[in-house]
Amino acid sequence: MTRYGMVIDTKKCIGCHVCAMACKTENNLPNDVWWNRILTDNGGEMGFDMVGGSYPDDLQFGYVPVACQHCENPACVKVCPVGATYKDPETGVVRQDYDKCIGCRMCMSACPYNGVRSFNWEEPAFHMDYAMGSKDAPEHQRHVVEKCTFCYHRTSQGIEPACMHLCVGRARFWGDLDDPTSEVSQLLAERSHKRLLEERGTEPSTYYLV
């Protein structure tokens, strides 16, 4: 069995939002939908960078890319009444079955990582008159929950996620967390790191090098 995860080097991330745009294009995301957001570590939302600390001697600033954390113990899976949110047994990736989703949004309520999921209240609308990105990306539907898939349509073919492929600062790494020889495992063995909201017991598969 494989356990896919992502490692993000916060010292290399420059907040350029290329990963977010790569995700949006690759997956042909509807207008105003983002599966990958680049926040500032002092609370700034996407597009509104915020400096923390105290002026003038203790100012702090950094970027935190946030998407679905693909948890080992996902709260979303436990509450989905129809099995539309599930963990892939072969890869550990938390996935969504749009055809099963009944739009109850229980997964959104249970997930402690605010904003990593979106809900299509209306028929998905797009700025372009034609589909962008991969022909293998899942088709978007009305009244379903969506989120990052670790670009499952790419990784299932041995291709890295789009966000990692186009990262300008080379701050993203992706691979098998259970393989001690993988790049992600070696980085975690060599560098200090953290995970978001570890106290919630979800065991995220996204790690941040610090």
Side-chain angles (χ1 to χ4, degrees):
M1 176 180 169
T2 302
R3 184 166 67 97
Y4 285 140
M6 183 162 285
V7 172
I8 300 173
D9 192 337
T10 59
K11 293 185 177 180
K12 288 184 176 180
C13 179
I14 60 175
C16 64
H17 301 273
V18 167
C19 57
M21 287 301 301
C23 169
K24 189 173 183 68
T25 302
E26 172 70 21
N27 292 284
N28 191 38
L29 298 186
N31 297 347
D32 302 319
V33 172
W34 299 89
W35 288 354
N36 184 27
R37 298 173 300 143
I38 315 306
L39 312 180
T40 48
D41 58 8
N42 297 296
E45 282 292 328
M46 188 169 177
F48 297 92
D49 295 350
M50 183 180 294
V51 177
S54 57
Y55 180 84
D57 299 321
D58 189 33
L59 294 178
Q60 302 170 5
F61 183 78
Y63 291 105
V64 182
V66 178
C68 175
Q69 303 292 292
H70 294 282
C71 304
E72 270 289 286
N73 184 31
C76 56
V77 171
K78 296 177 181 178
V79 300
C80 180
V82 294
T85 299
Y86 66 100
K87 192 167 80 166
D88 181 33
E90 298 298 321
T91 64
V93 173
V94 177
R95 301 183 61 191
Q96 301 276 136
D97 187 330
Y98 298 159
D99 293 329
K100 287 184 177 180
C101 181
I102 59 175
C104 69
R105 289 165 285 141
M106 289 294 291
C107 58
M108 298 180 74
S109 297
C111 177
Y113 305 101
N114 293 336
V116 301
R117 282 174 167 76
S118 60
F119 182 72
N120 294 329
W121 290 97
E122 303 295 340
E123 195 67 33
F126 303 88
H127 291 298
M128 307 297 289
D129 294 330
Y130 50 87
M132 302 285 288
S134 173
K135 64 180 178 61
D136 297 321
E139 185 176 348
H140 304 282
Q141 303 176 29
R142 183 187 182 198
H143 289 172
V144 302
V145 176
E146 298 185 345
K147 67 173 193 65
C148 161
T149 66
F150 264 166
C151 280
Y152 192 83
H153 61 285
R154 291 170 62 94
T155 57
S156 60
Q157 301 179 53
I159 308 171
E160 63 193 13
C163 62
M164 176 183 163
H165 182 67
L166 292 177
C167 178
V168 174
R170 296 293 180 260
R172 288 174 172 263
F173 307 87
W174 177 85
D176 185 359
L177 293 170
D178 282 345
D179 178 3
T181 67
S182 69
E183 187 173 27
V184 287
S185 293
Q186 291 179 357
L187 283 168
L188 294 177
E190 297 168 358
R191 295 272 303 273
S192 297
H193 53 270
K194 64 180 181 180
R195 293 185 292 180
L196 301 180
L197 302 179
E198 288 192 83
E199 68 278 7
R200 299 296 293 270
T202 56
E203 295 294 325
S205 293
T206 299
Y207 292 77
Y208 298 85
L209 302 179
V210 296

